Amino acid sequence: MPVVRRSMSISQIRRLGDRLRHAAQPSVEDLELLQRLRLEYDAPLQIVERTLRDELQMHATSRLKTVQTIIEKLVRERTRLSSMEDIAGARIVEEMTLAEQDERVARIVAAFPSARLRDRRAMPSHGYRAVHVIAFVGDFPVEIQVRTHLQDLWAQSTEALAVLWGRQIQYGEPPERAGDGIVGADDPFGPTRREVIDLLRSLSATIAEVEAIGQPDATEMVGLRRVLERFVRVFRRTV
Amino acid sequence: MRYFLIVYDRSQGRRRELTEFSEGQRAHALEERARRERDALEQPELEVVLLAAESRADLERTHGRYFKSVEELAAAR
């Protein structure tokens, strides 16, 4: 694997991260520095894309994080810019069992020997479940997310609601105007935003139970379908 | 790989623009994304994202929220 090095020193990157974290509005110079730093992750990301596609025959999509979400993460989590692991990321979503997910993850880890594993199925992050492999290409980490369809359904629905009701819902906090009824609801006694988020979190637990079964039987699938139908019914009136 | 530059309005939860770039245009797509990001600096509601995928169908599967409402996301499964 080719050696890929950063052009900025760790301390230069830390100082940039500190300025971005504390600025009410980032300066044009710092924004350009951040864009230049992010661009350096593109070569490592391409190496990961090629490895996943050509060596492992996996269908992945990829992206470099937006400057806006990098800055939001610096402010929210106190993470140092120099140690942020998801500036470059790839995502694999497939219809698969947990055992098949484990098998794909093992093949990815074998392809990137210094990789680290974050299993958010064992320790969900406020309902979020997936497996993340952090591959290292030279100086650069690249996060590879491996999700089943159901894990992805949950994650993308939460992301879509986070856009509308505040990103803090992804980190266990209540939505903005938590007591408001959901937009467009025709029933004045319909669920509030807080109740929708509670429903979403219970859906994550239900998905985890069904996935743990491996090959769920008809009764278990009826249970999941009921929760999903309620989910769809509520969300039909949400956006 | 093909590249998809998306301008997404977070206040509306809706995609405003989608521009596609071909296999050989990765550098151009990255430049264009950086330019659009600088233009949108004063509009925090706009998310300027560049995604790479073998096909649009792959992208709709892994980043469905840029293409579907929450209801459609749920119904698609």
Side-chain angles (χ1 to χ4, degrees):
Chain A
M1 199 166 286
V3 176
V4 192
R5 298 283 176 226
R6 289 189 186 101
S7 67
M8 292 167 74
S9 70
I10 294 286
S11 59
Q12 283 175 318
I13 297 169
R14 281 186 182 163
R15 284 199 297 275
L16 172 62
D18 289 343
R19 289 197 301 276
L20 291 168
R21 175 181 289 124
H22 294 115
Q25 176 80 15
S27 68
V28 172
E29 293 76 19
D30 280 348
L31 185 68
E32 284 178 359
L33 266 180
L34 179 58
Q35 287 183 327
R36 202 186 314 155
L37 172 69
R38 181 183 61 185
L39 195 56
E40 293 185 1
Y41 283 76
D42 192 52
L45 181 59
Q46 287 187 62
I47 290 169
V48 168
E49 287 169 5
R50 284 197 294 270
T51 304
L52 292 172
R53 184 190 58 210
D54 301 338
E55 286 182 31
L56 304 177
Q57 283 77 49
M58 292 184 189
H59 272 275
T61 59
S62 66
R63 62 95 181 102
L64 294 173
K65 208 171 178 72
T66 70
V67 291
Q68 199 177 10
T69 52
I70 292 172
I71 295 171
E72 284 170 2
K73 188 166 183 172
L74 286 170
V75 171
R76 184 180 66 240
E77 296 184 11
R78 315 296 301 166
T79 312
R80 284 190 180 277
L81 182 58
S82 55
S83 53
M84 207 175 273
E85 292 177 332
D86 63 346
I87 291 176
R91 184 177 294 170
I92 294 162
V93 177
E94 284 186 38
E95 186 73 61
M96 56 189 161
T97 64
L98 295 184
E100 289 165 339
Q101 189 177 21
D102 286 338
E103 179 268 336
R104 280 159 183 72
V105 167
R107 288 174 57 215
I108 295 170
V109 169
F112 299 99
S114 56
R116 290 185 203 144
L117 205 59
R118 306 243 190 279
D119 190 344
R120 301 202 187 285
R121 299 168 309 177
M123 296 185 66
S125 175
H126 310 292
Y128 175 72
R129 297 172 61 253
V131 182
H132 292 185
V133 179
I134 314 298
F136 289 87
V137 181
D139 288 343
F140 298 90
V142 177
E143 182 185 84
I144 304 164
Q145 301 178 347
V146 184
R147 299 174 176 175
T148 66
H149 267 154
L150 284 173
Q151 290 164 8
D152 185 64
L153 161 67
W154 190 93
Q156 293 210 43
S157 301
T158 304
E159 268 188 61
L161 281 182
V163 164
L164 298 169
W165 297 351
R167 286 192 179 267
Q168 70 278 7
I169 67 170
Q170 291 172 287
Y171 311 103
E173 293 172 31
E176 291 159 9
R177 305 200 318 270
D180 281 12
I182 55 176
V183 177
D186 47 11
D187 174 4
F189 302 105
T192 63
R193 289 180 174 192
R194 186 190 299 276
E195 287 164 341
V196 171
I197 298 304
D198 288 345
L199 174 62
L200 198 57
R201 294 199 178 122
S202 72
L203 178 63
S204 169
T206 305
I207 289 172
E209 284 169 22
V210 169
E211 287 192 331
I213 295 164
Q215 299 292 336
D217 66 20
T219 312
E220 287 145 356
M221 285 310 294
V222 166
L224 177 63
R225 194 171 297 117
R226 277 200 191 124
V227 178
L228 279 170
E229 279 168 3
R230 182 161 176 235
F231 173 78
V232 171
R233 215 164 39 242
V234 168
F235 284 100
R236 185 170 290 131
R237 300 184 300 175
T238 304
V239 291
Chain B
M1 282 287 193
R2 289 154 67 189
Y3 308 98
F4 300 82
L5 178 63
I6 292 171
V7 179
Y8 187 79
D9 186 336
R10 302 206 292 189
S11 66
Q12 303 289 317
R14 294 276 181 271
R15 191 182 70 236
R16 275 200 194 173
E17 291 174 42
L18 172 67
T19 311
E20 191 173 335
F21 298 86
S22 60
E23 174 82 42
Q25 292 184 298
R26 187 172 184 121
H28 175 52
L30 284 163
E31 275 170 28
E32 184 62 13
R33 186 264 187 100
R35 187 184 70 76
R36 295 300 302 270
E37 238 174 7
R38 288 193 294 273
D39 289 349
L41 196 56
E42 312 244 318
Q43 295 170 279
E45 75 277 14
L46 295 186
E47 184 180 343
V48 182
V49 62
L50 180 65
L51 299 159
E54 290 294 325
S55 68
R56 180 168 166 159
D58 279 354
L59 201 58
E60 291 192 18
R61 192 178 70 249
T62 61
H63 290 78
R65 78 176 176 93
Y66 294 117
F67 298 91
K68 300 185 182 90
S69 68
V70 173
E71 177 199 342
E72 289 166 335
L73 277 173
R77 291 342 198 251

